[in-house]
Amino acid sequence: MTGDRPFQRERRRALLGCALLVVAYFVVPLDVDGNGPWTVVRAVTTALAVIAAVTLAYRQVRRQLTGPPSGHREARALLRLAVTLVAGLLAFALADLVVARTWPGEFEGIQTRIDALYFALATLTTIGYGDVSAQGQIARAFVCAQMVFSVGVLASGVSVLIRQVLRPKG
């Protein structure tokens, strides 16, 4: 029972982290004012957020490949992957929205944060309904990065789950 306390604490931290990421996604200012310097700052900041999410995902995937955890460490690894997934999803949704607002015509159907989140989630889950799509080259480049991110994080998460299921009990 006492051994579960650190895991429960880590689970609460992961949930809090995910909640804070969602709040940040919805409150970060993104108004397009046509001012050249602010457009550059917004684009660079968005690119840095995407790079940070991809770097975090890369580290998690690399940990899975180089030294797969066992026992409670597997569960913790899964929690870290879940936070990474949420961070990546929101970073890409934000990037999609910034691209859609900064360069009109790059995306068809992204006008709000919910639209961008919906598109990023549809891309992440590989559902792709087709009602929102990347039209321009910049948007397609971001979506390609989203796809690579999705494959890496999802494959890593599946490998942790499979190891947990197949691990000998005892």
Side-chain angles (χ1 to χ4, degrees):
M1 188 76 121
T2 311
D4 284 345
R5 279 200 184 136
F7 176 69
Q8 289 174 350
R9 193 172 338 145
E10 192 161 336
R11 186 172 49 194
R12 280 192 301 271
R13 274 191 295 204
L15 286 171
L16 178 62
C18 289
L20 290 173
L21 286 167
V22 169
V23 168
Y25 171 75
F26 281 103
V27 299
V28 68
L30 292 178
D31 295 331
V32 175
D33 55 9
N35 187 343
W38 280 113
T39 300
V40 171
V41 168
R42 191 174 15 265
V44 168
T45 303
T46 302
L48 290 174
V50 168
I51 289 168
V54 170
T55 301
L56 185 62
Y58 170 76
R59 287 181 180 166
Q60 293 299 326
V61 170
R62 197 173 97 207
R63 279 187 191 138
Q64 295 302 314
L65 295 175
T66 58
S70 61
H72 280 305
R73 289 181 33 184
E74 277 186 346
R76 287 185 176 102
L78 202 53
L79 283 174
R80 286 191 297 268
L81 278 170
V83 173
T84 300
L85 182 64
V86 170
L89 172 70
L90 294 171
F92 279 112
L94 192 63
D96 294 340
L97 184 59
V98 167
V99 168
R101 288 185 176 179
T102 305
W103 297 285
E106 286 292 317
F107 277 103
E108 171 86 22
I110 293 182
Q111 296 168 356
T112 67
R113 291 174 198 256
I114 296 293
D115 292 340
L117 186 56
Y118 166 81
F119 177 73
L121 193 55
T123 302
L124 174 79
T125 58
T126 69
I127 291 173
Y129 294 114
D131 55 341
V132 179
S133 60
Q135 299 295 312
Q137 298 304 299
I138 295 169
R140 289 180 178 175
F142 272 106
V143 173
C144 286
Q146 271 179 274
M147 290 177 202
V148 170
F149 171 85
S150 300
V151 169
V153 172
L154 293 177
S156 187
V158 167
S159 75
V160 171
L161 287 173
I162 289 173
R163 274 196 308 271
Q164 280 188 328
V165 169
L166 297 178
R167 185 182 47 172
K169 308 290 184 221

